């Protein structure tokens, strides 16, 4: 029996539904100051970023240090064996770095199909056949090369210390390992580290990762070649071969991160920059905002049914268009096509009805209900000079494909599942994707990650979220809370959220996101509502032109936010 046969898959999804923590009513204290700010999924990683800011680092130095610390203390999603995206605004210039994984050279269109042409989900999720070529070693280095102010070794140092001297296991980590024990236990290499004696490391205990510390030390000394060449790359190829993978040292060597033009759009008095292809995230944010502006969404009562109705109808169309997207080399549409004025005008005219448009009428495919929620992580950093960095990084599933590379100390991703294994059919998490996102050697799999920065004359913010297909809808709601309704940052992050992704045709609703009468009215308009305990986990920062900084971690998770106060007299 396979790990993800349909009954197990159901159980897996059910467990995800049940254990997701409800949104807590209490909010963490908002962190405010003047010397820089960090918000991330783990306190030790936030501290690493703050340490680098205090040492005189800029937002990029601190963001890279935070990301590397997450690779140690938050191995569910923080990584060196995965990839991600960074969107930054440094000295007033918005940039986007793509360090998304690529398909190995030996990957092929039908590699996840059985003889009958049916997708074999386990193959794209478990073990090294599911792994894309890691992008993080090259990406974090490249980001620092271009913008960093401190020495590279200084930026890597906090992560080396955490891995070498040890860090205190959090309750979240213990729980995540326990939940993934079946996956991690399949690989003796992984179990030896993460399930010592068959048990997850206990919350409160000290965890040391000596192999990872050595890998990080080599990375600090020699940059990405320390991992993408020589004995470490060879170790990755060996363990991949051993477990049926196709990842080769040559793939690692050939990998390049890519600077891309961010998707930039104006909305509600702000300018927003987010990730272009191979992420659909920036396009979905831009389409949503563009449609809402056209229909003067800001004039609808904030908590009424009309507002939710129009938001959902905008998302329905943006996610239908997502079907056309994929790696820039094969995508059937570009950001320019989908953010084109004429296209948005046409789509906006469809939003006039007061009834739900069935998704089948926006596109003609249908698919069973499913959900996406595994592990990704977002961090946001601001420095005192007004620069901001927004990084979303992931192994895709929690602990990726489950395989830890012995002697190297990090887990490999299972990002290959983000490709359309069988174009036109739903993936494990209900996203229906097109031929544009079919598997192909060297291609980058389509993402939903939406690291974003937004600014106007008086202030700049950075934000983003994990949550698979829900990332763009979560992110845009926090943006709208600030841009349209003037919420302060923490309130904008805390506010309950909803989600719709075209297919399945339903609105997912966090507790208290809709007033009872609003829910009734939406159902009257033809919507199906489905309760969901939590949507996303946003980490955000904001810096004003006067240099005041603010950081907000999401009460939906145990993340942490902190600020630096400049030393007296500085
Ligand atoms: O790139 C993507 O869209 C997915 N691999 C992200 C996965 C994710 O967010 C899981 N997180 N909770």
């Amino acid at each position: 029996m396979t790990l993800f046969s349909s009954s197990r898959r159901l159980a897996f999804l059910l467990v995800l539904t049940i254990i997701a923590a409800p949104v807590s009513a209490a909010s963490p204290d908002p962190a405010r100051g003047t010397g820089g700010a960090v918000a991330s999924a783990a306190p030790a990683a936030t501290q690493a970023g703050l340490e680098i800011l205090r040492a005189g680092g800029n937002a990029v130095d601190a963001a890279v240090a935070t990301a590397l610390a997450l690779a140690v203390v938050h191995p569910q999603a923080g990584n060196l064996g995965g990839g991600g995206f960074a969107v930054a605004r440094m000295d007033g210039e918005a940039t986007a770095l793509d360090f998304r994984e690529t398909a190995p050279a030996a990957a092929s269109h039908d590699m996840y199909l059985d003889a009958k042409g049916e997708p074999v989900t386990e193959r794209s999720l478990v073990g090294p056949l599911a792994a894309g070529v890691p992008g993080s070693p090259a990406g974090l280095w490249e980001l620092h090369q271009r913008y960093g102010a401190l020495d590279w070794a200084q930026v890597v140092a906090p992560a080396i210390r955490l891995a070498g001297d040890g860090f205190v296991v959090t309750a979240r980590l213990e729980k995540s390992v326990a939940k993934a024990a079946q996956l991690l236990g399949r690989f003796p290499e992984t179990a030896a580290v993460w399930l010592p004696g068959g048990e997850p490391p206990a919350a409160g205990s000290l965890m040391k990762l000596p192999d990872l510390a050595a890998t990080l030390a080599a990375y600090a000394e020699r940059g990405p070649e320390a991992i993408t060449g020589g004995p470490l790359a060879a170790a990755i190829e060996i363990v991949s071969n051993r477990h049926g993978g196709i990842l080769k040292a040559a793939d690692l060597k050939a990998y390049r991160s890519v600077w891309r033009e961010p998707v930039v759009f104006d909305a509600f008095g702000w300018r927003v920059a987010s990730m272009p292809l191979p992420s659909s995230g920036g396009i979905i944010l831009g389409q949503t905002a563009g449609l809402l502006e056209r229909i003067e969404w800001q004039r609808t009562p904030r908590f009424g049914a009309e507002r939710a109705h129009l938001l959902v109808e905008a998302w329905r169309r943006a996610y239908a268009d997502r079907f056309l997207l994929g790696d820039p080399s094969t995508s059937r549409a570009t950001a320019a096509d989908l953010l084109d004025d004429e296209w948005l005008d046409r789509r906006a005219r469809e939003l006039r009805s007061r009834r739900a448009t069935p998704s089948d009428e926006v596109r003609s495919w249908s698919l069973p209900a499913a959900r996406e929620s595994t592990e990704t992580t977002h961090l946001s950093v601001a420095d005192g000079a007004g620069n901001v960095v927004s990084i979303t990084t992931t192994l895709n599933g929690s602990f990726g494909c489950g395989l830890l590379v012995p002697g190297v100390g990090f887990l490999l991703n299972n990002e290959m599942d983000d490709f359309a294994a069988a174009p036109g059919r739903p993936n494990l998490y209900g996203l229906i994707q097109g031929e544009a996102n079919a598997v192909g050697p060297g291609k980058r799999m389509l993402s939903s990650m939406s690291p974003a920065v937004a600014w106007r004359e008086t202030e700049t913010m950075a934000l983003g979220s994990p949550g698979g297909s829900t990332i763009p809808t979560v992110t845009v709601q926090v943006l709208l809370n600030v841009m349209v309704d003037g919420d302060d940052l923490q309130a904008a992050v805390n506010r309950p959220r909803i989600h719709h992704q075209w297919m399945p045709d339903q609105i997912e609703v966090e507790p208290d996101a809709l007033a009872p009468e609003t829910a009734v009215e939406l159902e009257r308009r033809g919507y199906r509502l489905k309760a969901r305990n939590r949507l996303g986990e946003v980490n955000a920062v904001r810096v004003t032109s006067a240099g005041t900084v603010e950081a907000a971690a999401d009460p939906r998770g145990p993340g942490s936010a902190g600020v630096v106060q400049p030393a007296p007299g500085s």
Side-chain angles (χ1 to χ4, degrees):
M1 176 158 183
T2 61
L3 184 61
F4 286 95
S5 66
S6 49
S7 59
R8 288 260 181 102
R9 180 185 309 180
L10 206 67
F12 171 74
L13 295 172
L14 209 64
V15 167
L16 280 177
T17 318
I18 293 164
I19 64 159
V23 179
S24 126
S27 314
D29 284 338
R32 291 202 170 89
T34 49
V38 182
S40 89
T46 298
Q47 287 309 320
L50 292 173
E51 173 187 327
I52 291 297
L53 285 172
R54 271 188 224 108
N58 64 19
V60 159
D61 294 314
V64 171
T66 307
L68 289 172
L70 286 167
V72 179
V73 303
H74 188 60
Q76 304 94 307
N79 66 82
L80 277 172
F85 302 115
V87 175
R89 187 163 182 254
M90 299 296 291
D91 297 324
E93 182 201 23
T95 48
L97 181 66
D98 165 1
F99 54 100
R100 181 71 161 167
E101 299 90 329
T102 54
S108 57
H109 190 280
D110 295 339
M111 65 186 280
Y112 299 118
L113 305 183
D114 65 14
K116 294 195 200 109
E118 292 298 315
V120 187
T121 314
E122 162 147 334
R123 283 194 204 153
S124 62
L125 280 170
V126 179
L129 194 61
V133 184
S136 295
L140 296 174
W141 160 265
E142 176 60 31
L143 186 61
H144 179 267
Q145 283 287 104
R146 178 140 166 196
Y147 289 113
L150 298 183
D151 280 351
W152 171 245
Q154 194 174 351
V155 169
V156 186
I160 301 177
R161 204 178 56 226
L162 285 164
D165 297 349
F167 60 94
V168 178
V169 173
T170 59
R172 169 188 247 185
L173 181 55
E174 180 186 345
K175 210 163 113 185
S176 298
V177 174
K179 191 175 122 195
Q182 195 190 1
L183 172 69
L184 304 179
R186 280 174 69 143
F187 302 102
E189 298 89 343
T190 313
V193 174
W194 286 108
L195 293 167
E199 294 296 324
S205 64
L206 191 71
M207 182 81 187
K208 293 187 184 183
L209 298 168
D211 286 345
L212 185 55
T215 296
L216 284 161
Y219 186 42
E221 208 172 289
R222 304 204 306 281
E225 286 81 39
I227 298 170
T228 61
L232 299 192
I236 293 171
E237 177 168 334
I238 289 166
V239 78
S240 169
N241 280 345
R242 186 186 305 151
H243 294 282
I246 54 172
L247 190 57
K248 304 280 180 240
D251 292 312
L252 289 148
K253 195 163 181 194
Y255 181 87
R256 297 286 177 273
S257 58
V258 185
W259 289 103
R260 300 193 186 273
E261 277 300 309
V263 169
V264 178
F265 56 92
D266 292 324
F268 304 107
W270 291 70
R271 179 156 286 185
V272 181
S274 185
M275 203 57 214
L277 293 175
S279 184
S280 59
I283 296 174
I284 297 175
L285 300 187
Q287 284 195 309
T288 306
L291 291 173
L292 296 183
E293 275 215 309
R294 278 169 172 72
I295 55 173
E296 301 197 327
W297 184 77
Q298 69 278 19
R299 290 174 183 270
T300 54
R302 183 166 191 190
F303 299 110
E306 184 68 1
R307 211 175 238 220
H309 161 79
L310 293 170
L311 186 57
V312 165
E313 291 303 316
W315 286 339
R316 193 195 302 281
R317 285 155 182 86
Y319 277 80
D321 289 346
R322 189 186 185 280
F323 185 84
L324 302 170
L325 301 178
D327 178 279
S329 66
T330 52
S331 188
R332 305 265 160 104
T334 63
D337 297 332
L338 297 180
L339 298 174
D340 171 69
D341 277 336
E342 250 176 62
W343 178 238
L344 290 178
D345 289 346
R346 195 177 127 190
R347 282 294 207 198
R349 284 194 291 277
E350 297 170 19
L351 304 186
R352 303 293 176 204
S353 151
R354 291 176 66 82
R355 300 281 307 168
T357 323
S359 284
D360 284 347
E361 291 176 16
V362 178
R363 282 277 193 266
S364 55
W365 301 281
S366 63
L367 71 168
R371 70 177 51 250
E372 174 153 6
S373 174
T374 41
E375 269 301 346
T376 296
T377 190
H378 182 84
L379 66 100
S380 296
V381 175
D383 64 27
N387 302 308
V388 293
V389 180
S390 190
I391 296 181
T392 313
T393 183
T394 190
L395 291 166
N396 192 31
S398 190
F399 301 95
C401 75
L403 177 60
L404 181 137
V405 186
V408 176
F410 60 69
L411 290 146
L412 294 173
N413 66 83
N414 60 356
E415 218 76 56
M416 293 294 279
D417 193 65
D418 277 349
F419 280 118
R425 304 264 298 277
N427 72 358
L428 178 65
Y429 303 118
L431 276 171
I432 185 162
Q433 318 188 86
E435 183 61 36
N437 187 32
V439 186
K443 281 182 67 178
R444 285 160 148 88
M445 52 299 278
L446 184 63
S447 175
S448 302
M449 294 191 282
S450 315
V453 303
W455 65 97
R456 57 180 177 174
E457 207 175 324
T458 48
E459 57 196 320
T460 307
M461 60 180 166
L463 73 163
S465 178
S469 59
T470 71
I471 293 172
T473 60
V474 163
T475 306
V476 85
Q477 283 173 94
V478 177
L479 276 169
L480 292 168
N481 288 340
V482 174
M483 298 190 310
V484 172
D485 297 302
D487 281 357
D488 76 34
L489 199 62
Q490 188 71 60
V493 167
N494 294 1
R495 194 158 311 279
R497 306 190 265 254
I498 60 174
H499 171 74
H500 190 289
Q501 61 179 47
W502 172 53
M503 303 278 191
D505 192 350
Q506 64 193 16
I507 307 178
E508 299 191 24
V509 184
E510 280 189 338
D512 302 326
L514 300 173
E517 59 278 14
T518 303
V520 168
E521 171 60 16
L522 286 170
E523 281 173 338
R524 200 190 61 76
R525 292 184 184 201
Y527 290 101
R528 192 154 73 91
L529 305 185
K530 187 153 186 257
R532 180 133 175 206
N533 282 337
R534 53 178 272 194
L535 288 163
E537 187 179 323
V538 174
N539 288 310
V541 295
R542 169 146 77 170
V543 54
T544 67
S545 45
T548 317
V549 294
E550 193 182 346
D554 201 321
R556 291 163 182 79
S560 89
V563 298
V564 180
Q565 300 290 354
S570 68

